[in-house]
Structures are given as structure tokens and as C-alpha cells.
Amino acid sequence: MAQGVTVDFNANIARFTSAIDKATNDLNKFQSNSARIGQNINKAFGALGAGLSVAGIGAFIKSSIDAADNINDLSQKIGVSVENLAGYKLAAEQSGTSLEGMGLAAQKLNQSLAKNDPLLKKLGVTATDANGALVQLADVFGSIPDGAQKTAIAMRLMAKSGADMIPLLNGGSAALDEMLRKGKELYPVTAEMAKAADQFNDSMAELKISVEGAGIAIAGPFAKAINDSIDVARRATSEYGTMIGAMAGFGKLLVAPFETTDQE
């Protein structure tokens, strides 16, 4: 049985090593860009008489990776391209909502499109996807005065999140297109970048689980050995005294893992 335990332990170490290698490879994809970004950031802040520490740059890069990963996930949820979502980020924040709020509205709008809500046809919305429908709804909202009717339309098609979308859509499709164009320039996330960020965070999650698993595999036998030694020490102390009990417990601690393996 000792051989089986050794094989299991080696297998855990192999998985742990594999996860580290994968995370390292994904991290290397960001290394050259990270260095360049860090240099540019320090140059920009240096011009202002300020600077960022290495830790600060690292935190900034990690938060940027997380943001790109979130956009990748949101893109898959609502069927809007990563590039368009990058544009919507600026439009949403300038309109008092957030990219997450816009995502919820788009999800509900997709449901309205899938159900062929007759209100869409009445409003002249012919698009079959959320992005196209939002552009067409912008012209509709731009032509309707603010008030109960507009709010009712927004909430029927986009549920509770629809009301928050009104400021974003009120300017019409031309204004929305301009905000999206500017947003893409200021937040140039591409599908490839977002996918790489997603893969990096997935690899880090695998690494975390592997570390925890390796720790459990290593600590498990020792935890049982300690429990066994405490039990032996307790019984020996009650029969022979503290000194003998301590010696018996220490001796059990040394041999318990091997005894457990051999017995199994």
C-alpha cells in the first residue's frame, strides 16, 4: 500500500507542476505587453511628477486582465462582440449606468427578440441581435419625450435595467455610434486579448486548486500521525505518568505514518 500512496503523492505533484507550467506560459503572453505598458505608464506619470511602484504596476495589470476577462464572459452571455462591449463601457459610464447594467439590459432585450415581442415591430425594430436592436431603439427613444411612456417601453423590452438605459439611448443612433467609436479608441480591448485574459485567470484558478490539493496530500498523513501520537500520549500518561506519556507520543509521531501505510 506504501507504493500506492507514493504513486498518488507523485500524481498530485505532477498535476501541481503541470498547473504551474500552464500558468507560467499564460503569464508569459502578457509579459512583453506588461513591460511596455509599465514603461508608458511611468513615463506618463513621470511627466506629472509622479510614479508607480512595481507593486502598483502589477496590481494595475492584474485589474486590467480581470476587466478583459469580465468583458469576455459578458460577450458570451449577451452575444455582443468584445470590441462593441469595449465601446459600450464608455457610453454606459457617461450615461450613469455601468457595463454590467448594460449587459443585464441586453440579456432582457435578447429575450424580447427571441419572443418576437410585438412592441418591437410596432417601434420599427427589425434587428435580430441586441447590439443592432439597441442602435435602432436609440432612434426610437430619441424621438419620444421623456416620461412614463418611454420608461414603460424601456422596462417592457429590457426589464428593470431598461430605465437605466434611457440616458444612453436618448441621443439617437448617431450619438450612440459616436460614443461607441470613441469608447473603442479609449478602451481598445480585442477578442484575442479578452480570450487570453480569460485563459490566464483560468490557469491561475487551476494553479490555486492544485496548490491546495498538493497541500492536502502532503499534510493529510501528518495530521493523522499527530492525532495518533496524541492519543498514544494520552493513554500512556494516564497509565505511566507524564514523562513516559510524552516519550510514547513522540515515538508514535515518528512511526505513525509508516504504520498507517503498511497496515493499509
Side-chain angles (χ1 to χ4, degrees):
M1 188 60 188
Q3 183 178 1
V5 172
T6 301
V7 171
D8 288 341
F9 177 78
N10 288 337
N12 283 326
I13 294 299
R15 286 194 293 269
F16 171 63
T17 303
S18 176
I20 290 178
D21 291 341
K22 189 173 187 301
T24 301
N25 289 334
D26 287 332
L27 182 60
N28 286 338
K29 295 178 181 178
F30 290 95
Q31 189 172 7
S32 59
N33 285 338
S34 298
R36 178 172 50 80
I37 292 172
Q39 292 173 358
N40 290 338
I41 291 172
N42 270 331
K43 287 180 180 178
F45 277 81
L48 299 175
L52 290 177
S53 66
V54 173
I57 293 174
F60 171 78
I61 292 172
K62 182 59 171 70
S63 68
S64 299
I65 292 172
D66 290 341
D69 186 11
N70 290 335
I71 288 181
N72 183 72
D73 292 341
L74 184 59
S75 174
Q76 295 178 53
K77 290 178 182 178
I78 66 176
V80 176
S81 71
V82 167
E83 290 80 3
N84 280 332
L85 283 177
Y88 273 113
K89 180 175 176 62
L90 175 66
E93 293 183 1
Q94 286 186 335
S95 303
T97 183
S98 65
L99 191 59
E100 290 73 20
M102 177 265 167
L104 291 174
Q107 281 183 312
K108 296 299 182 181
L109 183 56
N110 275 330
Q111 293 177 9
S112 297
L113 290 167
K115 295 176 181 177
N116 292 317
D117 190 316
L119 179 58
L120 291 167
K121 183 177 180 180
K122 183 177 180 180
L123 295 174
V125 176
T126 58
T128 57
D129 62 274
N131 186 60
L134 284 172
V135 172
Q136 291 180 338
L137 281 173
D139 284 332
V140 174
F141 280 34
S143 64
I144 301 175
D146 291 335
Q149 181 187 16
K150 181 182 290 187
T151 302
I153 292 172
M155 295 186 69
R156 172 168 166 173
L157 297 177
M158 296 176 281
K160 294 180 180 179
S161 301
D164 295 331
M165 293 290 288
I166 292 176
L168 187 149
L169 301 174
N170 261 348
S173 61
L176 180 60
D177 284 341
E178 177 59 22
M179 283 193 290
L180 294 180
R181 183 195 63 76
K182 188 174 182 181
K184 291 176 183 178
E185 290 180 357
L186 296 176
Y187 201 70
V189 180
T190 65
E192 183 180 1
M193 293 167 60
K195 185 177 180 180
D198 180 66
Q199 291 175 343
F200 173 79
N201 279 343
D202 286 348
S203 295
M204 294 304 295
E206 291 178 11
L207 175 60
K208 180 176 181 293
I209 296 299
S210 295
V211 169
E212 293 175 355
I216 291 172
I218 294 170
F222 290 100
K224 188 177 188 309
I226 292 172
N227 289 334
D228 289 345
S229 67
I230 291 173
D231 183 58
V232 168
R234 185 184 298 114
R235 287 188 280 108
T237 298
S238 65
E239 294 184 19
Y240 305 109
T242 303
M243 181 64 71
I244 298 299
M247 294 174 63
F250 182 70
K252 182 64 176 178
L253 179 61
L254 295 177
V255 302
F258 306 100
E259 290 180 346
T260 300
T261 299
D262 293 338
Q263 290 172 5
E264 292 176 349

